[in-house]
Amino acid sequence: MEDNKEEVISKNFIEQEIDKDLSEGVYNHVQTRFPPEPNGYLHIGHAKSILLNYGLAKKYGGKFNLRFDDTNPTKEKTEFVESIIEDVKWLGAEFDDRLYFASNYFQEMYDCAVLLIKKGKAFVCDLTAEEIREYRGDFKTPGKESPYRNRSVEENLRLFEEMKDGKYKDGEKVLRARIDMSSPNINMRDPVIYRVARMTHHNTGDKWCIYPMYDFAHPIEDAIEHITHSICTLEFEDHRPLYDWVVKECEFENPPRQIEFAKLYLTNVVTGKRYIKKLVEDKIVDGWEDPRLVSIAALRRRGYTPESLRMFVDLVGVSKANSSVDYAMLEYCIREDLKLKRPRMMAVLDPIKLVIDNYPEDTVEYLDVANNMENPELGGRKVPFGKELYIEREDFMEEPVKKYFRLFPGNEVRLMNAYFVTCTGCEKDENGNVTVVHCTYDPETKSGSGFEGRKVKGTIHWVAASTAAEAECRLYENIVDEEKGKLNEDGSLNLNPNSLTVLKRCYVEPSFEGARAYDSFQFVRNGYFCVDCKDSTPGHLVFNRIVSLKSSFKIAK
Ligand code: ATP
Ligand code: MG
């Protein structure tokens, strides 16, 4: 058969739409943006939106902007602005010098509002918020026109200016678009576009006492920045006619085209700023970066890498239908990313002492160990070995259960990278708890010596006691359990009480010396771990378990 390598590139529906726009000459370039509201930290869902928008710009040789949608000062903070910039950069979505703030366009927005008034397309309304809601009607009932709807252009211009000049109390007057109170789309029923609100803005301070509403501001921001494709999530689909109306009536040329996709949801975790914020405020978690959360800062602290999140977002793809992605898929991606990149080290999380009775006293032997058997490029290291070691408590059983191949009296196992040892017994305290395990070793069986005399069924890891460093390890479970229901009846989160386990006395090999925040390792048999950026110090290492080694997730290849 001829090797006809016709490349089949499957494009997602957004790319297909962009292709169409470019071929029909609707646009001659691609400009995208990520428009967060700085009212919290970003989460994994936002990562999807960032990478999608950035990826599209890159793919089509276009540009990507980061723009803060900061038109509502009540919940917005500089802390959030800073964290968002850090997260976007960390994900690798380059925006160069294209960092914008919607609040820098307040004057343009005001001018747009004046233009609408002059065209008879906006009016100042004195109805209260409650009355406006009543007049709006619902899906079944058409709306009722405001008695202020037919004010003259002159009166509207004067009143709007007075709103801006601070003549009215908060909520006393609003500016509304004059569209259609009987539209089947409720968003088109004369929506409020400006309100009076005396709030200090994180960027503009007290310069303004009127603020534009999101639905009016957002399309103008996109239009000012010459965004071609305004990619957003499905909940904005019903707002699209209003956005199109705003940019048309405000006479922007080449207005953006909005394309919606489904939000990313994950099983067993809490997405949604509202819930994360509550966990933070109620001090149930250690701030926005608590490794049990899926804010980007939390994932970074936990040990996730930008590469793993990019892989995840690619695997998930884009769709028009809301659905939840299995959390195990995210874990699959970090394992895949770290598998060949990170060294495999020995660390004992739940230690018990193992004494080799026939090994010489006061001797430290340095064994050659490969850093990663599957990737020779990572080289090797020397690991000290001696008479007294720490092993995992679960690797010894005085009375073994069926199919237990680790240490029990009379059984021989391999100490990983070292020797065969045969268990001879144990010591116990007054309560019957095992305190020390005893064994003897066979010097002939050294790893790498080519010994082939006999085989053993179990291999266990260890850390030499005299040179071990003490460390703290934090193990995590999902903060909510999907099977038990994410929410309680009252709408509160049904939290998993075992989501955090702190192991204070773990032992690790001395090779960890110099490990720094965010460094990650495979701990043999125990999973992937990352040096905690907040609590770890050179003298007291603290590790977060990123993920265990076992996976329930299988990818179809
Ligand atoms: P949340 O619903 O979690 O509070 P938000 O939508 O209010 O988030 P914004 O700052 O307004 O947060 O969102 C910025 C952008 O991120 C928007 O374009 C929004 O559509 C997108 N986005 C938000 N959540 C998700 C998600 N789960 N999956 C994909 N994109 C998302
Ligand atoms: Mg929002």
Side-chain angles (χ1 to χ4, degrees), residues 193-208:
I193 59 176
Y194 257 96
R195 64 196 166 125
V196 180
R198 281 171 186 74
M199 293 182 289
T200 302
H201 189 280
H202 77 96
N203 181 26
T204 55
D206 294 319
K207 179 160 182 234
W208 296 88

Side-chain angles (χ1 to χ4, degrees), residues 35-37 39 46 69 75 214 235-236 263 273:
E37 198 187 343
N39 62 356
H46 297 117
D69 227 319
K75 293 178 272 170
Y214 181 87
E235 74 272 26
F236 297 106
K263 274 195 171 179
K273 261 185 250 175

Side-chain angles (χ1 to χ4, degrees), residues 34-37 43 45-46 49 233 236 261 263-264 272-273:
F34 174 65
E37 198 187 343
H43 55 64
H46 297 117
S49 178
T233 38
F236 297 106
F261 70 99
K263 274 195 171 179
L264 167 68
K273 261 185 250 175

Side-chain angles (χ1 to χ4, degrees), residues 530-543:
C530 173
V531 178
D532 188 65
C533 60
K534 229 169 151 180
D535 302 330
S536 194
T537 60
H540 177 68
L541 288 169
V542 177
F543 293 96

Side-chain angles (χ1 to χ4, degrees), residues 133-144 180-186 189:
R133 207 173 309 123
E134 267 167 38
Y135 276 59
R136 191 179 297 137
D138 54 32
F139 288 114
K140 282 175 260 148
T141 1
K144 232 170 48 184
D180 179 5
M181 285 311 285
S182 60
S183 170
N185 183 338
I186 295 176
R189 296 184 187 170

Side-chain angles (χ1 to χ4, degrees), residues 510-557:
S511 332
F512 282 98
E513 204 182 301
R516 288 198 225 145
Y518 303 112
D519 283 352
S520 57
F521 306 89
Q522 186 185 122
F523 286 6
V524 291
R525 298 169 71 210
N526 282 319
Y528 289 96
F529 287 73
C530 173
V531 178
D532 188 65
C533 60
K534 229 169 151 180
D535 302 330
S536 194
T537 60
H540 177 68
L541 288 169
V542 177
F543 293 96
N544 297 313
R545 176 149 74 185
I546 312 169
V547 66
S548 64
L549 296 178
K550 287 191 206 82
S551 172
S552 56
F553 180 77
K554 291 268 177 323
I555 188 157
K557 286 224 166 111

